[in-house]
Every structure is written in structure tokens, then in C-alpha cells.
């Protein structure tokens, strides 16, 4: 969420905003719907208690958002078997624990597409292909030994300033003793994520991991997993001139093995994600 400058689940975001609104003195009327205009400043409302009118000092038109249907991707058919939106897929896998097949094609290269890929793998289905209208994926999903490009934004977080490449050298689970620290992991498990970063564009770019890496899995909503633990070697959190690169290790603290870690270069903009090993 750009306004909170971190990634959180929808229900958690709603609770946060409800607390803000009620703390400011607002009255929230759930299970109520505006059904029409009585005049320029008065709205008709329907609720389980009946119909009534409200004349507020200000009216905000919140149109909301919804998942695009299959027809938006030009997929024909009424309700073709085996074709799911990401929401349908995640409901089937995580809520109903149903099989979804053995091999899948993902249409789209956005961050939610990578979320679908993770869900498919957890369901025992192999993502065989990802297709997109864009020349590159919005945020690559990487495993040890793979690499991919990611955008670096300016200080406003809105405009792309330059582009870098990241290679995941390794992702290893370590203990506090192996790190040489007496501090036990707060969440449960340390992971040493070794990355190689390189500026592949013509403008300088900064990488800043602390507070910008979020871990999640099928059961747990995104959590900040960065730590202040350090190991010997180059510090990756720095500015890279064009052509410069560095290989270093980031120590993360996650609740348990597995899941994915996503780096957010700008609020709400996932730059790249790393699929962690299950053991």
C-alpha cells in the first residue's frame, strides 16, 4: 500500500483505516449502500434497518476495484473448465484445498502473476509458461542461480530512474551461532540471502534493503523480514554508478522455511521476489 509505505493484506489494511476513521470521530455504517441521489447534496441509503437519507458536508465517490474477468484477457467461453483468475485459483488451493492440474500457463506478467505462480507450485502444479503483452515482467520471481532485471525509482517513488540486475547466488538457512550473534531470530528462522547487484543502465541507482523486504507464504500475510545483522563482505545497501556491481549477503528473519521474499524499491511496487527453499 503506497500510503502506508509497506505491503499488508487487505483485511489488515481495512482494520488500520477503520481505527483511523473511528479515532477521528467518524461513524462507520457497515452493511449499508448508497442507492441513489435525492438531490445534489443528499443520498438515499439502504440497510438492514430500512431506507433513509443522509445530507453530509462532503461526499467521496469511491469506485473501488475488482479482479478482471477472463474476457478482459480475451479468453473465450462462458465458464471454461481449468481457466481461473488469480482469486479463484487462490481460493481453490488455500481455502478449499482442491487440485488445479499438473501444468499451467499464466497470462500476464504483473506481480500478481508471480503470486499465481507461487500458488500453483504449492498446489503441485508446474507453471510451464508465462505470457504477457509487455517486453518484460513487472517483477521477476527468482530462485538460487537465476537472475533478472528490476526498476529503480526516484525519490518520489513514482518515476523509474534507472534499471539494475539481480542474481540470487544462494539462499541458506542459518542459526544465530553460525552468524556469530547471541540474538535469537525474533520471528523464528534466519536466512542468509546472497545477491549480486549490478547497475545495467546509464543513471546511478540506489539499493536499500532495510525495511523494504517482505516475506510471505500461503498461510501468513506479508511481514517485514529485514534485520540489522551483518556478515563479512560488501554492503549491498549503497548507490551504484552505471556499470558498478557488488556481491553481498543480507540476513533476514522469517517465521519459517519456504515462502517468498519480495524487495520493494518503491511503496507498493515490488521490484523482484525470491522463492526460498522449503528446507
Amino acid at each position: 500500500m503506497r500510503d502506508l509505505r509497506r505491503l499488508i493484506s487487505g483485511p489488515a489494511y481495512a482494520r488500520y483505516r477503520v481505527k483511523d476513521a473511528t479515532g477521528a470521530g467518524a461513524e462507520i455504517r457497515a452493511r449499508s449502500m448508497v442507492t441513489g441521489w435525492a438531490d445534489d447534496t443528499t443520498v438515499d441509503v439502504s440497510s438492514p434497518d430500512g431506507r433513509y437519507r443522509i445530507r453530509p458536508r462532503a461526499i467521496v465517490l469511491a469506485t473501488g476495484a475488482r479482479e478482471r474477468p477472463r474476457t478482459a484477457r480475451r479468453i473465450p467461453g462462458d465458464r471454461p473448465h481449468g481457466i481461473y483468475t488469480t482469486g479463484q485459483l487462490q481460493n481453490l488451493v488455500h481455502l478449499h484445498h482442491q487440485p488445479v492440474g499438473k501444468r499451467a500457463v499464466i497470462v500476464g506478467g504483473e506481480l500478481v502473476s508471480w503470486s499465481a505462480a507461487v500458488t500453483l507450485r504449492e498446489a503441485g502444479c508446474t507453471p510451464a509458461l508465462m505470457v504477457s503483452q509487455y517486453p518484460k515482467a513487472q517483477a521477476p520471481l527468482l530462485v538460487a542461480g537465476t537472475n533478472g532485471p528490476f526498476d529503480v525509482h526516484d525519490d518520489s517513488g513514482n518515476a523509474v530512474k534507472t534499471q539494475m540486475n539481480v542474481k540470487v547466488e544462494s539462499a541458506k538457512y542459518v542459526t544465530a551461532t553460525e552468524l556469530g550473534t547471541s540474538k535469537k531470530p525474533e520471528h523464528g528462522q534466519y536466512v542468509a540471502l546472497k545477491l549480486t547487484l549490478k547497475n545495467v543502465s546509464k543513471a546511478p541507482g540506489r539499493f536499500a534493503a532495510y525495511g523494504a523486504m517482505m516475506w510471505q507464504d500461503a498461510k501468513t500475510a506479508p511481514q517485514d523480514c529485514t534485520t540489522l545483522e551483518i556478515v563479512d563482505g560488501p554492503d549491498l545497501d549503497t548507490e551504484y554508478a552505471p556499470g558498478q556491481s557488488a556481491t553481498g549477503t543480507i540476513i533476514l528473519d522469517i517465521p519459517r522455511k519456504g515462502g517468498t521474499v519480495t524487495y520493494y524499491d518503491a511503496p507498493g511496487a515490488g521490484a523482484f521476489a525470491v522463492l526460498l527453499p522449503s528446507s
Side-chain angles (χ1 to χ4, degrees):
M1 297 298 179
R2 289 184 180 272
D3 52 339
L4 299 185
R5 299 187 67 81
R6 66 175 300 176
L7 182 68
I8 62 175
S9 67
Y13 182 78
R15 289 192 296 270
Y16 186 95
R17 287 306 179 205
V18 165
K19 183 179 180 180
D20 267 0
T22 54
E27 177 187 350
I28 297 178
R29 301 186 182 183
R31 303 176 64 193
S32 301
M33 178 183 294
V34 174
T35 55
W37 295 87
D39 56 43
D40 289 347
T41 58
T42 306
V43 293
D44 294 322
V45 180
S46 295
S47 75
D49 298 325
R51 299 183 62 192
Y52 56 91
R53 288 180 174 175
I54 297 178
R55 186 187 293 271
R57 287 183 299 171
I59 297 175
V60 178
L61 299 179
T63 58
R66 64 179 181 180
E67 190 172 57
R68 288 190 293 178
R70 291 183 294 269
T71 52
R73 290 291 191 182
R74 297 185 178 181
I75 298 175
D78 183 17
R79 299 181 72 85
H81 179 68
I83 299 179
Y84 311 104
T85 61
T86 301
Q88 287 175 312
L89 172 68
Q90 292 176 336
N91 279 335
L92 280 174
V93 174
H94 300 320
L95 297 181
H96 303 290
H97 310 290
Q98 295 294 313
V100 292
K102 298 298 183 183
R103 288 167 60 84
V105 172
I106 301 172
V107 181
E110 300 83 3
L111 188 60
V112 70
S113 305
W114 295 106
S115 177
V118 173
T119 300
L120 288 168
R121 287 172 62 98
E122 291 173 349
C125 181
T126 301
L129 180 68
M130 179 180 286
V131 296
S132 173
Q133 62 182 329
Y134 302 107
K136 65 182 183 68
Q138 184 187 54
L141 178 65
L142 307 173
V143 295
T146 63
N147 68 89
F150 67 95
D151 292 331
V152 177
H153 293 73
D154 60 16
D155 292 339
S156 70
N158 296 320
V160 175
K161 181 180 180 181
T162 188
Q163 189 175 75
M164 297 182 67
N165 189 84
V166 56
K167 180 181 179 182
V168 181
E169 302 290 349
S170 62
K172 298 180 180 179
Y173 298 110
V174 294
T175 64
T177 301
E178 290 172 320
L179 290 178
T181 179
S182 59
K183 184 178 180 180
K184 300 297 182 182
E186 180 180 346
H187 298 305
Q189 175 66 61
Y190 282 131
V191 57
L193 186 62
K194 187 176 182 180
L195 305 175
T196 295
L197 299 171
K198 183 176 182 178
N199 187 329
V200 295
S201 191
K202 298 181 179 180
R206 172 167 290 277
F207 180 81
Y210 186 73
M213 301 197 79
M214 309 290 287
W215 175 90
Q216 66 175 316
D217 67 2
K219 297 180 179 179
T220 306
Q223 310 287 319
D224 182 0
C225 61
T226 55
T227 73
L228 293 175
E229 300 296 333
I230 58 174
V231 295
D232 293 337
D235 185 1
L236 293 179
D237 282 29
T238 187
E239 184 165 296
Y240 296 75
Q244 286 186 333
S245 65
T247 299
T249 301
I250 301 171
I251 304 301
L252 305 175
D253 182 359
I254 62 176
R256 55 186 165 272
K257 296 178 180 180
T260 58
V261 173
T262 303
Y263 170 65
Y264 286 82
D265 172 68
F272 64 86
V274 179
L275 183 64
L276 299 177
S278 58
S279 61

